[in-house]
Amino acid sequence: MVIRPYRDEDGASLLDCIIELQDAERSIDGRLRSGRAIASDYLVAMLDECRQWAGQIFVLDVGGAVAGFTTVYAHVPFERLDEPPGDYAIVAELLIRQEYRRRGYARALLAHGERYAAAQGAAELRIGVLSDNTAARALYLDYGFRPYIETLSKSPSQR
């Protein structure tokens, strides 16, 4: 297992990972678009955001196969007046392909991303998770992340 920076030749494999990630999230929230519908544009957006916020995509290479990836942005600015001054780092995406799960790879990617954020001078590392993604949420809490802010949602017609 090797964790390394994304290279252009990883593009097709990374698109497959993005499709799997988006489709997993879509299984939790059916309103989301399919992975295949957004994968190419999503990759372009990730690369743009990496340039904008000192980010990096890291690929998990297992025997020459892309088994997962994470994207870490090291300097995302706080934008609202009621937020702290400065910026934070965020693990924007994390996926281990289905056939490679339950081997400690997600923790390895988290640790790699955390080291990257620290090396870039980040004072805070954040991660987002869909509330109903209980497995990912449990992993992140066990890794040391703590809830900071929650966004609650409902249809305006519901009581």
Side-chain angles (χ1 to χ4, degrees):
M1 182 241 351
V2 174
I3 298 173
R4 59 173 174 74
Y6 167 80
R7 300 185 295 236
D8 288 339
E9 58 264 26
D10 297 321
S13 295
L14 191 57
L15 288 173
D16 289 340
C17 288
I18 292 168
I19 290 167
E20 187 171 333
L21 175 62
Q22 181 67 13
D23 288 348
E25 290 184 346
R26 188 170 187 234
S27 73
I28 295 169
D29 182 349
R31 300 172 301 168
L32 299 176
R33 290 180 256 169
S34 74
R36 200 161 301 288
I38 70 165
S40 293
D41 290 337
Y42 200 91
L43 177 55
V44 169
M46 283 178 12
L47 292 169
D48 286 345
E49 290 167 347
C50 281
R51 285 186 287 277
Q52 186 175 1
W53 297 319
Q56 183 72 57
I57 300 170
F58 295 105
V59 170
L60 172 68
D61 184 317
V62 176
V66 174
F69 81 104
T70 190
T71 305
V72 180
Y73 305 134
H75 293 288
V76 179
F78 289 108
E79 295 179 343
R80 295 175 42 108
L81 291 174
D82 62 349
E83 294 178 319
D87 57 27
Y88 60 95
I90 188 165
V91 176
E93 287 90 16
L94 176 69
L95 172 83
I96 303 299
R97 305 288 311 259
Q98 185 72 35
E99 61 268 29
Y100 294 97
R101 292 185 184 161
R102 317 251 353 125
R103 300 181 197 177
Y105 293 147
R107 284 181 178 278
L109 278 174
L110 283 170
H112 195 87
E114 183 175 11
R115 284 190 300 275
Y116 173 77
Q120 296 298 310
E124 179 181 359
L125 181 62
R126 294 182 171 192
I127 194 165
V129 63
L130 290 174
S131 296
D132 287 341
N133 190 343
T134 55
R137 185 170 167 64
L139 169 67
Y140 303 154
L141 290 170
D142 189 59
Y143 188 79
F145 287 98
R146 293 292 168 250
Y148 174 71
I149 190 169
E150 293 185 64
T151 301
L152 305 176
S153 175
K154 74 179 247 66
S155 172
S157 62
Q158 296 176 349
R159 282 195 151 212

